[in-house]
Amino acid sequence: MSDHAQHLQQLAAQQWLIPFFPLVAAAIQSLLPRSARRLSATLTILAMGMSCLLAARAFWATLPVGEQHDEVARAFFNFTWFRFGTTALEFGFILDPLTAGMALMVAFVGFWIFVNATGYMAEDENFTRFFCFLSLFAASMLGLVVANNLLLLFMCWELVGLCSYLLIGFWYFKPSAAAAMKKAFITTRVGDIGFFIGILMLYQHTGTLTLYNAEGTGALQQAGSLGQLAGWWGLSLAGTIALMLFIGAMGKSAQFPLHVWLPDAMEGPTPVSALIHAATMVAAGVFMVGRMFALFTANAGDWVMDFVMWIGCITALFSATIAVAQFDIKRVLAYSTCSQLGFMMMALGAGGLVAGQFHLLTHAFFKALLFLGSGCVIIGTHHEQDMRRMGGLRKYMPITFWCYLVGMLALAGVPPFAGFFSKDEILVATYHHNKLAWVLATAAAFLTAFYMTRQMFMVFGGTWRGGQHDAHGNETTGHDEHHGHAHHEPHEVSWNMWLPLVVLSVFAVFMGWLGTPWLAGNLFHHYLAPEMPAPEHANIVVVLSVVVGAAGILLGWLIYGRRPMQHAAEPDPLAGTLGGLFTVLNRKWYVDELYEATIVRATQALGTLFRAVDKLVVDGILHAIAWIWWGVSQLFRWIGDELIINGGFDAGCESVRGGGRLLARLQNGRVQTYLRVMALGAVVLVAIYFFR
Amino acid sequence: MTLTLGHYLGMSAILFAIGLAGALTRRNAINVLMSIEIMFNAGILNLIAAWHFRYFESLTPQLFAVFAVTIAAAESALGLALVIAVYRHYRSVNVEEMTALRG
């Protein structure tokens, strides 16, 4: 074993430290009083900083050195969690490029989101609770990333779900937030059933949930042989398991048709949205698919990869169309996240593991940037989220404007910003795999450029429309709790809110260079998957992606930039052109209404049916029996009771009742008194047992 | 210091005492429920400790513990449902006020 390999081994054994610090921070903060605001924020940020340093150290160690260019630097550390009879449940941590890159991204982006959150939440009275949940969120996501065991991964996966539930519903007193938190939890739960079935099947057929182990019997190391066995629905066994796992990823990463929870997750505070949309939660699904990629590709004949690609492709286009017609600044970004996640899944399905993961990383930076930017806008405009009542913010919030512009250009895929290179990789991978999917994805890229331009002009262009009265009944956001401030002019935010924007912008500009084919032959590809051949470059893809990006921005300028909105009540210029279609898009293709009409109604109908059965059949039987016995007892009453017993017993009964009344005093109805007597009795019994 | 069975039993006794004290003195029904859970776990800990120190050869205690955990989960779900039902009725979860079963 070489020195380098040994070093990796040591680091892998210390991987648990990365999620450990935020976890401890969360534990401490759960005990802090509400007033310990400064301490709480300091703890969270310090812990995250530690994680970030550790992740950076691990990342540094996985960078390719010297001669070993052709194999992945992978080290793992397994240990027995507990033994159950002859079966041992193993836990383990892994250190490989996939984990290291992801962990560094989560810790780094998370760190800056936390810094921003200190500003955004500055006026909230439950500040400590918020930071406690944030720490736990980061800890569970980091745990998910470093796990070398599917069970550990699943536990962290569920913890991530729990934290998102807690944070989406952080303002639980708002009914919409309470509904959104339930929706997020239940929708992802639908996917998790599939994930769990996949885990059980994997355990059944491989006998282990450890992904890699030194003996080569880990679940992923057996993927090849699983690919030879027959599974369900014409898939190989590996394909079936992969499909089940993918259903879990669909829930977590908000893929169509389980995407409905993500836009509603906007009800949480904006830093939470940034965290959910960039570093944690939705990234988990894409990461998991990347982690289990060996199962997806185990049998080349399986349709599971095509399924992944098409789901991703549909999501990418579908969500992009919805984003065009939204008015809430965060909702536009939410649907764009859906769409970008679709891009990632599509890349994975087209076999582009590197492209998908690279887009996951770059997207995390610029989407965190955009969300934090929208948070700054919301704070700067005194809790306004409706883009129609913004405008002209470029003048009032220059720093936010420039950072937001960088994020927007990165998302729209303008060279040389980060999003261009990663999206380009995805389009290249798809182009080689399936031409139709590539065309649809290019259309989605066009829409991306368009709706981001629309947002830029509505929020930052034109003049400030905030002070005007809004007579527009069409979906106004209900978040404005500070009506008294609404007439004030917007202002730039404090340094702890804009500093993260600046830092993330730097990455949004330069990070893409790591994955370009023109610089040292795609550094990121060599880092993540040196054993795979890099996809061949296709000029038509690059040219077309630049053209549609430019066209989208140009169209956005033509419609929204040339003549900015003058008044908040003015209808969207697009609404006139698209007519009814605009309403359909604004109402998100009526998917929520469809679910309401089908699944929710069906469940309610089933409940009503069971209630009717209960009333008619079960109660009917009970009442019939009761009537029969009542009749029988009447018979006995006439024959026996009235004649024989009543004569002499009444007096006796009276005395028994008196005794009963006396004893009834003991039954004071207080459970704890009974318990006390019981405990006393137990003590007496023990005493008798010992001192007899 | 090596951990002996006594340590585990002592820990379990402490847990049980904490739980009992909570169940007897707390007025909030949810706190009482939580205390009962602690007592539950003290019992399970006993079982597992005895198994760990090879007082049983079979796996029964461990299975038993898993069952107990499951039942505890079901029980707490039921308990919470009851608390909610009681709250709807009395507008309070104070156990001192739940005296409808007085003789």
Side-chain angles (χ1 to χ4, degrees):
Chain A
M1 199 186 266
S2 70
D3 279 355
H4 184 247
Q6 222 155 16
H7 181 55
L8 275 183
Q9 203 70 43
Q10 279 173 359
L11 283 180
Q14 293 168 11
Q15 281 289 77
W16 60 274
L17 281 168
I18 297 179
F20 178 73
F21 283 103
L23 190 65
V24 170
I28 295 173
Q29 285 173 82
S30 66
L31 301 174
L32 286 181
R34 249 189 210 180
S35 54
R37 301 163 76 95
R38 188 168 283 272
L39 177 63
S40 164
T42 316
L43 257 177
T44 308
I45 290 171
L46 268 184
M48 208 56 186
M50 280 302 291
S51 294
C52 196
L53 290 180
L54 285 166
R57 187 179 66 152
F59 177 74
W60 187 253
T62 54
L63 287 177
V65 284
E67 76 286 3
Q68 42 134 239
H69 247 315
D70 292 338
E71 60 182 85
V72 179
R74 179 176 290 133
F76 34 81
F77 171 75
N78 295 321
F79 62 95
T80 306
W81 183 34
F82 67 79
R83 219 164 252 293
F84 199 86
T86 52
T87 321
L89 265 183
E90 276 194 333
F91 267 8
F93 303 104
I94 191 166
L95 176 59
D96 69 354
L98 188 66
T99 286
M102 187 77 185
L104 183 58
M105 180 278 281
V106 172
F108 187 79
V109 175
F111 177 84
W112 289 108
I113 292 175
F114 290 178
V115 171
N116 179 278
T118 57
Y120 192 85
M121 299 303 284
E123 285 165 27
D124 200 281
E125 61 180 68
N126 290 314
F127 194 79
T128 38
R129 178 160 66 92
F130 184 71
F131 274 87
C132 174
F133 290 164
L134 276 190
S135 287
L136 187 62
F137 205 174
S140 31
M141 186 63 195
L142 288 167
L144 190 153
V145 172
V146 300
N148 183 30
N149 180 296
L150 204 53
L151 187 64
L152 181 59
L153 196 150
F154 186 63
M155 284 160 71
C156 294
W157 177 277
E158 293 296 337
L159 268 177
V160 169
L162 168 74
C163 292
S164 69
Y165 168 80
L166 293 171
L167 284 166
I168 292 168
F170 184 74
W171 290 319
Y172 53 82
F173 39 80
K174 285 199 298 189
S176 55
M181 78 201 272
K182 272 192 287 185
K183 191 171 177 183
F185 200 69
I186 294 170
T187 314
T188 50
R189 203 81 354 205
V190 174
D192 288 352
I193 294 171
F195 192 7
F196 197 58
I197 293 174
I199 291 176
L200 291 179
M201 284 179 75
L202 194 62
Y203 188 75
Q204 184 193 357
H205 292 287
T206 63
T208 178
L209 288 176
T210 304
L211 302 179
Y212 297 96
N213 64 14
E215 295 85 45
T217 56
L220 284 184
Q221 288 154 319
Q222 293 185 38
S225 56
L226 285 180
Q228 303 305 315
L229 300 171
W232 303 342
W233 307 306
L235 287 168
S236 72
L237 197 53
T240 317
I241 296 169
L243 182 68
M244 288 299 166
L245 298 181
F246 180 65
I247 291 173
M250 275 164 70
K252 208 59 139 191
S253 286
Q255 297 296 295
F256 180 82
L258 296 179
H259 66 282
V260 288
W261 67 269
L262 189 62
D264 286 27
M266 295 297 92
E267 289 296 335
T270 308
V272 174
S273 311
L275 206 53
I276 288 180
H277 284 262
T280 61
M281 191 73 185
V282 295
V286 179
F287 172 78
M288 191 269 282
V289 173
R291 170 55 80 217
M292 308 304 286
F293 207 58
L295 283 175
F296 286 80
T297 53
N299 188 326
D302 280 346
W303 50 264
V304 63
M305 285 291 270
D306 286 327
F307 182 71
V308 173
M309 183 183 76
W310 282 113
I311 288 284
C313 185
I314 292 167
T315 312
L317 190 59
F318 179 79
S319 322
T321 58
I322 299 177
V324 168
Q326 298 302 313
F327 291 113
D328 187 318
I329 182 169
K330 281 168 79 182
R331 234 166 235 278
V332 174
L333 294 178
Y335 278 104
S336 105
T337 306
C338 264
S339 169
Q340 298 302 310
L341 288 165
F343 271 103
M344 295 169 207
M345 283 297 185
M346 186 178 69
L348 292 172
L353 172 65
V354 180
Q357 296 297 326
F358 186 51
H359 196 53
L360 181 59
L361 294 182
T362 55
H363 172 259
F365 281 93
F366 59 73
K367 191 47 72 64
L369 165 62
L370 287 171
F371 263 110
L372 296 183
S374 74
C376 292
V377 167
I378 291 168
I379 290 292
T381 56
H382 310 286
H383 297 270
E384 181 56 70
Q385 296 200 356
D386 194 328
M387 297 195 296
R388 284 170 299 195
R389 288 198 295 259
M390 295 178 181
L393 294 184
R394 181 183 166 180
K395 196 173 79 192
Y396 302 101
M397 308 176 72
I399 304 173
T400 309
F401 165 70
W402 285 109
C403 295
Y404 208 91
L405 183 68
V406 168
M408 172 256 162
L409 290 174
L411 180 57
V414 173
F417 295 93
F420 167 71
F421 295 107
S422 52
K423 192 179 283 180
D424 195 49
E425 288 281 295
I426 288 178
L427 291 174
V428 168
T430 318
Y431 176 75
H432 289 304
H433 197 76
N434 189 315
K435 296 283 186 291
L436 178 61
W438 169 68
V439 171
L440 293 179
T442 309
F446 167 73
L447 287 174
T448 309
F450 174 69
Y451 65 67
M452 284 317 290
T453 314
R454 170 178 181 264
Q455 188 180 43
M456 276 314 277
F457 281 120
M458 280 182 93
V459 175
F460 293 101
T463 49
W464 170 238
R465 301 182 292 270
Q468 301 162 350
H469 283 286
D470 172 42
H472 212 270
N474 186 25
E475 198 191 287
T476 48
T477 53
H479 304 289
D480 195 350
E481 289 158 10
H482 300 262
H483 278 293
H485 296 295
H487 296 271
H488 291 183
E489 290 211 327
H491 59 81
E492 183 60 280
V493 288
S494 56
W495 69 269
N496 53 354
M497 289 192 73
W498 61 253
L499 183 65
L501 298 188
V502 175
V503 175
L504 291 173
S505 320
V506 173
F507 281 86
V509 176
F510 294 111
M511 213 183 129
W513 293 101
L514 292 177
T516 107
W518 298 297
L519 197 73
N522 202 336
L523 288 173
F524 190 73
H525 190 100
H526 284 294
Y527 171 62
L528 192 68
E531 78 281 4
M532 286 189 198
E536 241 175 89
H537 204 64
N539 279 326
I540 174 170
V541 177
V542 187
V543 172
L544 209 64
S545 115
V546 174
V547 167
V548 296
I553 292 175
L554 189 68
L555 189 66
W557 176 76
L558 280 174
I559 298 182
Y560 294 97
R562 221 165 27 149
R563 204 194 68 82
M565 273 174 90
Q566 299 300 324
H567 200 273
E570 203 174 293
D572 194 291
L574 208 56
T577 327
L578 292 180
L581 182 61
F582 188 81
T583 319
V584 172
L585 294 181
N586 184 267
R587 303 307 307 272
K588 309 139 207 164
W589 292 100
Y590 296 104
V591 174
D592 276 337
E593 283 81 355
L594 179 73
Y595 285 173
E596 179 73 35
T598 53
I599 297 170
V600 176
R601 277 291 168 76
T603 315
Q604 279 174 348
L606 206 64
T608 319
L609 180 72
F610 281 135
R611 190 182 137 86
V613 168
D614 191 49
K615 275 269 173 228
L616 291 176
V617 181
V618 181
D619 283 8
I621 294 171
L622 271 177
H623 287 169
I625 292 173
W627 275 103
I628 290 167
W629 284 109
W630 189 79
V632 172
S633 64
Q634 285 295 314
L635 207 67
F636 278 114
R637 192 181 126 197
W638 287 326
I639 298 171
D641 219 45
E642 296 284 344
L643 292 177
I644 306 161
I645 298 174
N646 272 10
F649 280 91
D650 274 358
C653 289
E654 209 35 61
S655 65
V656 173
R657 273 184 66 185
R661 218 171 280 134
L662 211 66
L663 284 176
R665 298 261 172 86
L666 275 178
Q667 307 286 331
N668 65 358
R670 293 190 180 177
V671 185
Q672 286 180 321
T673 318
Y674 303 162
L675 243 160
R676 259 171 230 164
V677 175
M678 217 167 93
L680 200 69
V683 171
V684 170
L685 282 179
V686 171
I688 291 174
Y689 176 79
F690 277 114
F691 301 113
R692 177 169 51 143
Chain B
M1 187 182 86
T2 51
L3 286 175
T4 63
L5 182 59
H7 289 106
Y8 282 96
L9 295 188
M11 177 72 195
S12 155
I14 292 169
L15 270 182
F16 191 85
I18 291 171
L20 186 61
L24 291 185
T25 55
R26 288 286 154 163
R27 298 233 157 73
N28 189 326
I30 293 182
N31 285 345
V32 173
L33 263 185
M34 278 157 58
S35 308
I36 290 172
E37 287 301 311
I38 293 175
M39 293 201 282
F40 229 124
N41 285 314
I44 298 170
L45 183 61
N46 260 356
L47 209 55
I48 290 297
W51 175 82
H52 185 71
F53 288 97
R54 300 283 182 277
Y55 278 77
F56 303 94
E57 279 309 306
S58 68
L59 271 177
T60 318
Q62 217 179 9
L63 277 176
F64 216 84
V66 172
F67 270 104
V69 169
T70 319
I71 290 167
E75 176 248 298
S76 60
L78 190 66
L80 279 176
L82 281 177
V83 170
I84 289 169
V86 165
Y87 177 77
R88 290 209 175 126
H89 191 72
Y90 289 103
R91 291 275 128 204
S92 148
V93 287
N94 189 340
V95 285
E96 302 256 297
E97 290 171 21
M98 300 172 196
T99 54
L101 281 179
R102 189 176 47 221

